[in-house]
Amino acid sequence: MRNQFSVKCWLRYIEFKQGAPKPRLNQLYERALKLLPCSYKLWYRYLKARRAQVKHRCVTDPAYEDVNNCHERAFVFMHKMPRLWLDYCQFLMDQGRVTHTRRTFDRALRALPITQHSRIWPLYLRFLRSHPLPETAVRGYRRFLKLSPESAEEYIEYLKSSDRLDEAAQRLATVVNDERFVSKAGKSNYQLWHELCDLISQNPDKVQSLNVDAIIRGGLTRFTDQLGKLWCSLADYYIRSGHFEKARDVYEEAIRTVMTVRDFTQVFDSYAQFEESMIAAKMETASELGREEDDDVDLELRLARFEQLIGRRPLLLNSVLLRQNPHHVHEWHKRVALHQGRPREIINTYTEAVQTVDPFKATGKPHTLWVAFAKFYEDNGQLDDARIILEKATKVSFKQVDDLASVWCECGELELRHENYDQALRLLRKATALPARRAEYFDGSEPVQNRVYKSLKVWSMLADLEESLGTFQSTKAVYDRILDLRIATPQIVINYAMFLEEHKYFEESFKAYERGISLFKWPNVSDIWSTYLTKFIARYGGRKLERARDLFEQALDGCPPKHAKTLYLLYAQLEEEWGLARHAMAVYERATRAVEPAQQYDMFNIYIKRAAEIYGVTHTRGIYQKAIEVLSDEHAREMCLRFADMECRLGEIDRARAIYSFCSQICDPRTTGAFWQTWKDFEVRHGNEDTIREMLRIRRSVQATYNTQVNFMASQMLKVSGSATGTVSDLAPGQSGMDDMKLLEQRAEQLAAEAERDQPPRAQSKILFVRSDASREELAELAQQANPEEIELGEDEDEDEMDLEPNEVRLEQQSVPAAVFGSLKED
């Protein structure tokens, strides 16, 4: 405690005397240190002050030696203080005294404990790197790596910079082989390995202590995803070493072993560049030294080798893809195409392909290899060899039955191409014969040879051959066998029936249709029913009407709405031509209920047209009424217009007006202007003032019902917005800050103004949609002009009526007789 108090006193006293001359300050520090020689603070300040006193002097000044001696005296007591050692070493480095500095660093490392060496080494290493003394630096780095082996990368970089590449390669190889090494720079083991490969391959004359070939080949087994770069490094090593033939062997080995297109591209490009550079060097040498005959031969040889390399590229690339997947069928076909014009290579390729490709692992259709192999022999006139190939193919255990069926079909086509028709039939009959052990078509546990007898492809070809070459009985037996195996398609059934029909076996053909119908359900049976019914009607017409009706009823039982329209129209046509008209109308009636909603409108149109042709126009009223009830609003509106037009043409004006009134309930005045225009034209031609006023009243009530100011405005807003964003701001660009309700109100006013402009001028139509200032004479004149056939009732109105205001109209209600409405009036 007393010593601490004394140190503080001395420090405060010395600080107070800072303005004194430097010798005086040094004497004060010396007196203090004589009394307190173990005070770190006094020594630190004293040494710092002494260094500052000689900072700007020449390093040869004797004062530097005094300061050095002062540091040496301090280390008698302060040899465990790393800060003082660092300051002293830095002071010596500034003096440029290399040997003294190195020895001082060594003394510091010996004096300090091992835990504090990490503070000395950074400055020590910086000192070693600052002087061109590689041997000294190497020895220092070796000592440092014993303390910090994870800093090996720093040492390696120094070795590279000092051109000591052999030791750098050794150190880098040690680092790469150490699995526990963690790079301070964050490099992966592969990156370090790649650096090693570049180092040893680019400096073969300086790296002598390592087996470069073994190192790089070891990397080929470790880093299989970077084979291209490693192969190029190995070849580059031999090229720089001058072993060009060895480098060429390395390139050839590489392009025969790489597994990816990327690695192949790297190796091949490097190989081609090497050959090109060799040719260029040879030509340059020949131009400098003069051309000789041997040089010409050598140059021609190198050019031929380079051309051959470029020509082999597609084949070599195909080999890489096949090494990736030897069961890729398409690549084998491409390989055969690359050997075009070389029969021996083609045969060898096909042989290798069929032996290599596993049908269960194949990508593509493996049977095409066998077929193409046989086709090659056939094209070259070797039919026996082609038959042998196809016969072997029929014994291959394919994955899919369709592959074996294709092989059998190719066998038959081969014989047909050479007009061996009997042999073709025998082969296909052999293919479709029952095996000793039957199996289901999709039973994967059984070989395809036991399942091919159920292949429709083989049976279809056999049926075609039997029709062309066989007898009627043999062909019929084939089709019956197909139906018995239950592998037929609707087209097969139709073909069978047509075949029987061609041979005048009509009932047999109908039985074939029946058998086909029993095999399929809707919608697959649709074509069979359509063909069956068409052929039956064409054959018997009305002679077997009841049987035809039963067939139609059977076909329509369970028929989906999508396919019902065709059958109902065919059924109705039968009834119209051979049956009863009421039956035909009943069929049309059923059809309007059975078809899809999208087809109902067309069906009602057909129904109305046929009813009008058979029974007359008046019979269609009930059909129109039902159509209006069933159809959607859009189609119902169309039906109403047509219904009203028909009644108008029949002179039933009141009926037509009632229809218009009914239809108005589903017609929004804002969106269905065509309907209201049609009704207006109707009233102008056939109505009077009262009927026009009634139409306008109905229009206003309908408009109120549809709440036009909301619904129509919303729909118009969506149309105007265009972008379909659904925001009010889209309706008024540039007014995004305006209140949304204000925008809606402005838009409503704009739409109302547009509606007023859309109304026809008063001078043209004189139709008053609301109460106006028109006089009674004008209204009477309008009514007289609008309907010249109107009955005049006389002019004996009451005086009270004459005194009414011009814009007030008194309407008198009277009961209308029921006979006027006819069938429109409800019961």
Side-chain angles (χ1 to χ4, degrees):
M1 190 71 182
R2 182 179 177 181
N3 291 336
Q4 293 180 1
F5 178 75
S6 300
V7 171
K8 289 182 179 180
C9 289
W10 276 106
L11 291 175
R12 297 177 74 178
Y13 179 62
I14 293 172
E15 185 178 356
F16 175 74
K17 291 291 186 177
Q18 284 295 323
K22 294 180 180 178
R24 178 60 179 166
L25 287 176
N26 293 341
Q27 289 178 1
L28 291 176
Y29 276 115
E30 290 289 346
R31 288 174 57 191
L33 289 171
K34 188 174 182 180
L35 296 175
L36 301 169
C38 294
S39 174
Y40 170 76
K41 292 184 179 180
L42 285 174
W43 277 113
Y44 179 76
R45 291 200 177 190
Y46 181 35
L47 296 175
K48 184 178 180 181
R50 292 298 298 269
R51 290 194 301 269
Q53 292 171 8
V54 298
K55 184 175 182 181
H56 299 291
R57 296 186 182 185
C58 180
V59 293
T60 59
D61 194 302
Y64 274 95
E65 190 63 32
D66 294 338
V67 177
N68 291 341
N69 293 333
C70 187
H71 280 86
E72 294 293 341
R73 287 191 295 113
F75 288 126
V76 174
F77 305 98
M78 298 287 108
H79 59 279
K80 296 296 183 183
M81 297 300 171
R83 180 71 262 170
L84 298 182
W85 283 109
L86 290 172
D87 292 341
Y88 184 33
C89 291
Q90 183 63 50
F91 184 63
L92 292 176
M93 289 171 62
D94 295 340
Q95 297 177 47
R97 306 177 67 173
V98 179
T99 303
H100 192 183
T101 305
R102 176 177 58 80
R103 290 174 179 175
T104 303
F105 272 116
D106 294 339
R107 287 169 55 201
L109 292 173
R110 288 194 299 269
L112 294 173
I114 190 68
T115 56
Q116 294 182 342
H117 283 196
S118 59
R119 300 185 62 182
I120 303 298
W121 274 112
L123 185 61
Y124 193 4
L125 295 176
R126 183 155 60 87
F127 162 71
L128 294 175
R129 290 194 301 266
S130 63
H131 297 283
L133 301 171
E135 187 63 32
T136 303
V138 166
R139 293 177 182 272
Y141 267 111
R142 289 174 183 173
R143 291 168 56 194
F144 173 63
L145 290 181
K146 293 179 181 179
L147 175 67
S148 178
E150 65 273 7
S151 302
E153 289 178 281
E154 183 180 350
Y155 180 38
I156 293 171
E157 292 298 327
Y158 175 76
L159 291 174
K160 290 181 180 179
S161 63
S162 61
D163 203 27
R164 301 172 72 96
L165 301 181
D166 191 48
E167 186 175 355
Q170 293 180 20
R171 286 285 179 179
L172 193 54
T174 304
V175 167
V176 168
N177 292 327
D178 187 4
E179 297 180 355
R180 295 174 298 176
F181 180 79
V182 178
S183 172
K184 285 187 174 181
K187 296 179 181 179
S188 64
N189 189 263
Y190 167 73
Q191 290 175 316
L192 295 173
W193 189 278
H194 189 61
E195 289 183 8
L196 175 60
C197 291
D198 291 341
L199 180 63
I200 61 180
S201 63
Q202 295 175 5
N203 303 280
D205 54 336
K206 297 180 181 180
V207 179
Q208 303 292 338
S209 59
L210 294 179
N211 187 349
V212 178
D213 188 279
I215 290 176
I216 296 180
R217 289 186 182 274
L220 293 174
T221 59
R222 291 181 59 181
F223 306 103
T224 56
D225 57 335
Q226 299 292 337
L227 295 180
K229 293 182 179 179
L230 295 176
W231 278 115
C232 291
S233 298
L234 181 58
D236 188 37
Y237 167 75
Y238 285 114
I239 292 172
R240 292 176 182 270
S241 300
H243 303 295
F244 301 121
E245 294 299 328
K246 186 64 176 178
R248 188 174 288 108
D249 294 339
V250 170
Y251 279 126
E252 290 291 340
E253 182 182 358
I255 60 179
R256 288 196 304 268
T257 56
V258 292
M259 299 292 292
T260 63
V261 177
R262 183 190 63 180
D263 294 336
F264 170 79
T265 302
Q266 291 177 348
V267 174
F268 186 85
D269 292 345
S270 179
Y271 190 9
Q273 186 178 2
F274 163 68
E275 292 289 355
E276 204 170 347
S277 63
M278 291 294 292
I279 294 173
K282 189 67 177 177
M283 294 177 67
E284 184 178 355
T285 304
S287 63
E288 292 178 356
L289 302 179
R291 301 175 64 91
E292 297 180 0
E293 184 177 356
D294 294 339
D295 294 337
D296 292 340
V297 173
D298 188 27
L299 184 59
E300 291 294 333
L301 179 62
R302 293 178 185 274
L303 289 172
R305 183 183 293 159
F306 180 68
E307 291 176 359
Q308 184 188 18
L309 176 64
I310 299 300
R312 288 166 52 205
R313 189 182 191 283
L315 195 61
L316 293 173
L317 181 59
N318 180 262
S319 300
V320 172
L321 297 175
L322 287 177
R323 281 196 293 273
Q324 286 183 355
N325 182 12
H327 308 289
H328 200 300
V329 176
H330 182 62
E331 292 299 330
W332 282 109
H333 285 298
K334 289 173 63 176
R335 190 173 186 83
V336 171
L338 292 174
H339 287 301
Q340 190 68 32
R342 291 174 287 178
R344 186 175 299 277
E345 284 77 5
I346 292 176
I347 293 174
N348 293 335
T349 302
Y350 274 127
T351 304
E352 184 182 0
V354 297
Q355 291 176 353
T356 303
V357 175
D358 185 354
F360 287 88
K361 300 179 182 178
T363 302
K365 297 182 178 181
H367 75 276
T368 57
L369 290 173
W370 292 94
V371 173
F373 196 4
K375 191 74 168 59
F376 172 74
Y377 276 121
E378 180 188 358
D379 293 340
N380 288 275
Q382 297 175 307
L383 294 181
D384 294 336
D385 293 332
R387 292 190 181 100
I388 292 173
I389 295 298
L390 291 176
E391 184 179 358
K392 290 182 179 180
T394 59
K395 299 176 182 178
V396 175
S397 179
F398 292 105
K399 184 179 180 180
Q400 303 291 340
V401 178
D402 188 66
D403 294 337
L404 182 58
S406 299
V407 173
W408 279 113
C409 292
E410 183 61 28
C411 292
E413 291 176 1
L414 173 65
E415 301 299 339
L416 289 176
R417 285 194 293 268
H418 295 84
E419 300 181 357
N420 298 325
Y421 305 118
D422 295 337
Q423 180 65 18
L425 280 173
R426 281 194 295 270
L427 286 173
L428 293 177
R429 288 169 183 169
K430 178 182 177 182
T432 56
L434 290 177
R437 181 178 177 180
R438 299 185 184 181
E440 293 298 327
Y441 185 82
F442 294 103
D443 186 3
S445 60
E446 292 290 333
V448 291
Q449 282 75 12
N450 293 344
R451 295 181 283 156
V452 73
Y453 77 98
K454 280 195 172 183
S455 174
L456 181 61
K457 179 181 289 187
V458 181
W459 280 107
S460 299
M461 186 173 180
L462 178 58
D464 292 341
L465 289 181
E466 290 289 355
E467 284 191 38
S468 303
L469 307 174
T471 62
F472 171 78
Q473 294 299 331
S474 63
T475 306
K476 184 174 181 297
V478 169
Y479 278 115
D480 288 336
R481 186 60 181 158
I482 293 175
L483 294 177
D484 292 339
L485 291 174
R486 303 180 69 84
I487 60 174
T489 62
Q491 188 61 47
I492 291 291
V493 174
I494 294 174
N495 291 344
Y496 183 25
M498 298 290 288
F499 169 75
L500 293 173
E501 183 181 354
E502 290 176 1
H503 291 79
K504 308 302 181 183
Y505 289 86
F506 297 103
E507 286 299 328
E508 291 290 336
S509 68
F510 296 151
K511 290 180 181 179
Y513 284 123
E514 294 286 349
R515 293 182 65 182
I517 290 169
S518 64
L519 292 176
F520 301 99
K521 296 182 179 180
W522 290 97
N524 299 323
V525 77
S526 174
D527 294 335
I528 300 178
W529 271 120
S530 299
T531 309
Y532 182 19
L533 295 173
T534 303
K535 294 294 183 181
F536 188 87
I537 295 174
R539 171 65 180 168
Y540 292 111
R543 288 177 292 169
K544 295 188 177 182
L545 187 58
E546 289 302 323
R547 181 179 172 185
R549 287 172 177 168
D550 292 340
L551 289 177
F552 274 107
E553 293 297 334
Q554 182 181 354
L556 293 172
D557 185 17
C559 178
K562 182 178 180 180
H563 303 277
K565 180 180 178 181
T566 303
L567 295 181
Y568 274 110
L569 292 178
L570 196 61
Y571 192 6
Q573 183 180 1
L574 172 71
E575 292 292 349
E576 289 181 19
E577 293 182 1
W578 310 102
L580 300 176
R582 58 185 178 86
H583 287 177
M585 293 299 103
V587 171
Y588 283 123
E589 167 69 17
R590 291 170 56 189
T592 57
R593 298 192 305 268
V595 298
E596 290 182 322
Q599 297 176 342
Q600 282 184 327
Y601 180 69
D602 297 334
M603 203 69 236
F604 270 112
N605 288 333
I606 298 173
Y607 187 13
I608 292 171
K609 180 180 179 181
R610 300 306 301 160
E613 292 177 357
I614 296 175
Y615 289 106
V617 178
T618 57
H619 189 75
T620 61
R621 286 171 174 162
I623 304 175
Y624 274 116
Q625 293 178 11
K626 183 175 181 180
I628 294 170
E629 295 174 0
V630 173
L631 295 177
S632 61
D633 289 349
E634 182 180 359
H635 291 154
R637 191 181 304 118
E638 183 67 23
M639 281 292 179
C640 287
L641 292 175
R642 292 173 55 189
F643 191 12
D645 182 63
M646 183 198 73
E647 294 291 358
C648 185
R649 285 189 280 106
L650 293 176
E652 298 289 347
I653 304 302
D654 292 334
R655 284 178 177 270
R657 184 175 290 110
I659 294 170
Y660 281 122
S661 178
F662 173 80
C663 184
S664 65
Q665 304 303 315
I666 59 174
C667 297
D668 187 354
R670 297 283 186 171
T671 58
T672 57
F675 168 79
W676 294 99
Q677 183 64 32
T678 303
W679 192 3
K680 185 185 75 172
D681 296 341
F682 168 79
E683 294 296 348
V684 168
R685 290 194 304 269
H686 305 288
N688 52 30
E689 177 184 352
D690 295 336
T691 59
I692 292 176
R693 288 184 181 275
E694 180 66 15
M695 181 197 71
L696 297 177
R697 183 193 64 79
I698 293 175
R699 177 168 179 169
R700 287 193 299 272
S701 64
V702 171
Q703 182 172 342
T705 303
Y706 275 93
N707 194 6
T708 308
Q709 290 297 331
V710 176
N711 294 341
F712 180 73
M713 184 174 63
S715 63
Q716 290 298 318
M717 284 179 179
L718 292 177
K719 293 180 181 178
V720 171
S721 64
S723 60
T725 55
T727 61
V728 179
S729 61
D730 293 333
L731 302 177
Q735 303 181 14
S736 57
M738 192 178 297
D739 184 65
D740 292 347
M741 287 303 298
K742 188 175 182 180
L743 290 174
L744 291 174
E745 292 174 359
Q746 292 180 0
R747 185 61 185 162
E749 294 175 0
Q750 180 182 356
L751 294 174
E754 292 178 359
E756 291 181 1
R757 289 197 301 271
D758 292 341
Q759 293 180 359
R762 182 184 303 173
Q764 294 179 3
S765 61
K766 293 293 184 179
I767 297 177
L768 305 179
F769 291 92
V770 294
R771 299 183 63 181
S772 64
D773 297 334
S775 62
R776 181 174 297 276
E777 290 77 5
E778 291 177 347
L779 293 175
E781 182 181 357
L782 174 63
Q784 186 174 2
Q785 292 177 358
N787 189 4
E789 299 178 357
E790 182 182 4
I791 302 175
E792 298 181 359
L793 300 177
E795 299 180 356
D796 52 348
E797 292 89 350
D798 297 334
E799 293 181 358
D800 295 335
E801 294 178 2
M802 297 298 294
D803 295 335
L804 291 175
E805 294 295 329
N807 56 355
E808 294 183 2
V809 179
R810 177 178 297 176
L811 301 178
E812 183 177 357
Q813 297 182 355
Q814 293 183 356
S815 60
V816 180
V820 173
F821 294 96
S823 60
L824 292 177
K825 183 174 180 60
E826 297 180 357
D827 294 337

